[in-house]
Amino acid sequence: MKKLPISIVLVLLASVSYSQETKLKATVDPSVIAKGEYLARAGDCIACHTAPEGRTFAGGRAMPTPFGTLYTSNITPDAQTGIGKWSADDFYKTMPDGRFPDGGLLYPAMPFASYTKVTRADSDAIYAYLQTVEPVSQKDREHELSFPYNNRSLVLGWRTLFFREGEFRPNEDKSEEWNRGAYLVEGLGHCGMCHTPINALGGSSDSEAFKGGLIPMQNWYAPSLTSNKEAGLGDWSIKDITDLLQKGVSARGAVYGPMADVVYNSLQYLSDEDTKAMAVYLKSIAQDSPEPPSSRLPRSESSLLISLGKTVYDGQCASCHGSKGEGRPPHYPPLAANQSIQMESAVNAIRMVLNGGYAPGTKGNPMPHGMPPFAVTLSDNEVAAVVSYIRTSWGNRGTTVSADEANELRKAPLQ
């Protein structure tokens, strides 16, 4: 029997894949697929399941953790290396329960503790959409975890301690809009993955929900969403909140670091209605907070820092952010009365001075202004001084920082 040329075989295989996709599109209501695409955006699936320079949803993205490096999985409809053979039931088992179709356990870097709140209808819509994306033949990469964390059965213990399975249940005392916002923030948006502090076992508790914490291995601080002294939005207008979520900038400030990626990949694509619902919910969970602690530095050292900091600020920062920290929003955010400047953790402020950065390019802010890095031009003492000056001037109630803190972040790898 004469063998077919490899080029013809590849064309036939592609035709089979195309016909499968066409068949699915023909049997599934297009509105369900469109809904699934929207929900996949809301869940920011692309951020984890697409490696830098990689194929969309083909996985392989490295996820550094304190326990080793995890690599995300291929969720394209490739039959051999992706989820092409999965049923909607299989997919739903993974989303809210954190298990593979064969019952195997997922590591909790996959936010199934949040996705457990996702409804079956929304899970099915996401599944229908993923079955229509381009299939990519790419085997999942083995995780690189240290002992004993490479023993996947230990996840059973983690689940016992920290996982509570259950679909989102609306609060009957709240509005439909509030409940929609809660569903998006607590469930699909999995905001708690960053904004809730985690313990040494990588777990968190409901009592600490959204109270902020350092993002492991990334050297960025995810501020508290409940504290009005951090990112609590109790005194923000709904428009300021929605602008920040959709555009990445508002009259109150701008997003940088990991949050900029969230806005770029996910939040800018949400509808005005869903963005407003999230804003209503986020505004409602903000609480009054105690005043920040006093400076950890001796008074004399603190005074010298502030004096040097003003000199650095006047020479390097005032031309954009104003002599009194008033800024020029939305291009240059204000520093006076800016909650992100005054947080108990100064990590983000130090990172921005050292490394600079851009707000995300979005539909509402397609040409964002950026901040240059000063790591080369400023010493550790100067970085600490200017951050201390910004955190304590114009009515800001932050604390001073030390040169050692600046040096520690200067040496830390960028994520």
Side-chain angles (χ1 to χ4, degrees):
M1 180 177 177
K2 187 176 181 180
K3 292 184 178 180
L4 291 173
I6 187 63
S7 59
I8 295 178
V9 172
L10 291 174
V11 169
L12 290 173
L13 289 174
S15 299
V16 170
S17 175
Y18 177 79
S19 65
Q20 289 174 337
E21 178 181 336
T22 304
K23 181 179 179 181
L24 180 64
K25 288 182 175 179
T27 57
V28 177
D29 186 339
S31 66
V32 173
I33 295 173
K35 176 185 178 183
E37 181 176 12
Y38 177 83
L39 294 171
R41 284 284 193 185
D44 203 9
C45 305
I46 196 171
C48 290
H49 289 280
T50 304
E53 310 301 325
R55 304 280 294 278
T56 304
F57 295 129
R61 185 181 186 92
M63 305 287 284
T65 77
F67 316 107
T69 301
L70 297 166
Y71 294 92
T72 58
S73 58
N74 182 345
I75 57 172
T76 73
D78 181 71
Q80 302 304 319
T81 63
I83 62 171
K85 292 182 179 180
W86 288 25
S87 67
D89 288 341
D90 291 335
F91 189 77
Y92 186 63
K93 181 184 294 185
T94 300
M95 281 282 284
D97 191 34
R99 292 180 181 271
F100 290 106
D102 63 4
L105 300 171
L106 273 72
Y107 284 106
M110 193 278 196
F112 58 83
S114 297
Y115 288 165
T116 190
K117 296 178 183 291
V118 174
T119 65
R120 177 63 193 258
D122 282 356
S123 174
D124 287 352
I126 296 171
Y127 167 79
Y129 162 64
L130 290 176
Q131 292 300 312
T132 68
V133 304
E134 181 183 2
V136 179
S137 178
Q138 178 174 293
K139 291 183 178 180
D140 291 340
R141 183 169 173 177
E142 291 290 329
H143 301 314
E144 298 172 357
L145 297 174
S146 56
F147 180 82
Y149 307 110
N150 56 357
N151 182 351
R152 197 181 288 263
S153 63
L154 291 178
V155 177
L156 284 171
W158 186 95
R159 291 167 65 97
T160 300
L161 292 170
F162 306 116
F163 179 50
R164 300 294 178 267
E165 184 179 0
E167 187 176 306
F168 178 80
R169 293 289 181 262
N171 185 331
E172 295 181 358
D173 295 330
K174 300 292 185 178
S175 68
E176 182 178 345
E177 183 176 53
W178 185 96
N179 278 295
R180 176 63 175 174
Y183 174 69
L184 291 169
V185 170
E186 296 178 8
L188 270 177
H190 59 282
C191 305
M193 283 287 287
C194 290
H195 289 279
T196 298
I198 63 172
N199 56 35
L201 297 177
S204 59
S205 65
D206 291 341
S207 64
E208 295 295 301
F210 302 120
K211 290 188 177 180
L214 195 66
I215 304 174
M217 313 303 290
Q218 291 198 24
N219 296 303
W220 282 97
Y221 179 76
S224 168
L225 299 178
T226 63
S227 167
N228 281 326
K229 297 298 186 296
E230 294 202 5
L233 306 171
D235 64 347
W236 285 44
S237 70
I238 293 296
K239 183 180 187 309
D240 285 341
I241 302 173
T242 57
D243 281 350
L244 193 75
L245 296 177
Q246 278 191 323
K247 300 178 183 179
V249 294
S250 79
R252 300 292 293 265
V255 298
Y256 298 97
M259 189 62 191
D261 292 336
V262 173
V263 172
Y264 178 78
N265 287 314
S266 175
L267 296 180
Q268 69 164 314
Y269 297 100
L270 297 191
S271 67
D272 291 344
E273 294 77 15
D274 276 350
T275 307
K276 183 171 181 284
M278 291 179 69
V280 167
Y281 174 73
L282 289 169
K283 186 176 174 68
S284 76
I285 65 174
Q287 305 166 358
D288 291 332
S289 307
E291 294 298 322
S294 58
S295 174
R296 295 178 293 274
L297 300 177
R299 184 182 297 273
S300 58
E301 184 178 342
S302 178
S303 297
L304 288 172
L305 266 180
I306 301 304
S307 177
L308 174 60
K310 184 179 188 311
T311 301
V312 175
Y313 181 86
D314 289 342
Q316 304 289 347
C317 314
S319 60
C320 292
H321 292 287
S323 60
K324 298 181 179 179
E326 69 274 18
R328 285 187 283 162
H331 302 309
Y332 303 108
L335 302 179
N338 187 322
Q339 290 163 230
S340 67
I341 299 297
Q342 304 175 66
M343 297 186 296
E344 181 176 351
S345 171
V347 165
N348 295 354
I350 296 172
R351 284 286 303 263
M352 286 302 299
V353 172
L354 285 171
N355 309 122
Y358 277 86
T362 59
K363 292 179 292 184
N365 185 36
M367 298 182 67
H369 287 59
M371 177 171 167
F374 290 95
V376 175
T377 56
L378 298 181
S379 68
D380 291 337
N381 283 327
E382 290 170 322
V383 171
V386 73
V387 172
S388 296
Y389 174 73
I390 292 168
R391 282 167 57 83
T392 59
S393 298
W394 320 300
N396 287 348
R397 304 182 67 85
T399 58
T400 55
V401 301
S402 69
D404 287 342
E405 291 175 90
N407 181 258
E408 183 178 351
L409 287 171
R410 185 190 294 274
K411 295 185 295 185
L414 291 175
Q415 294 288 344

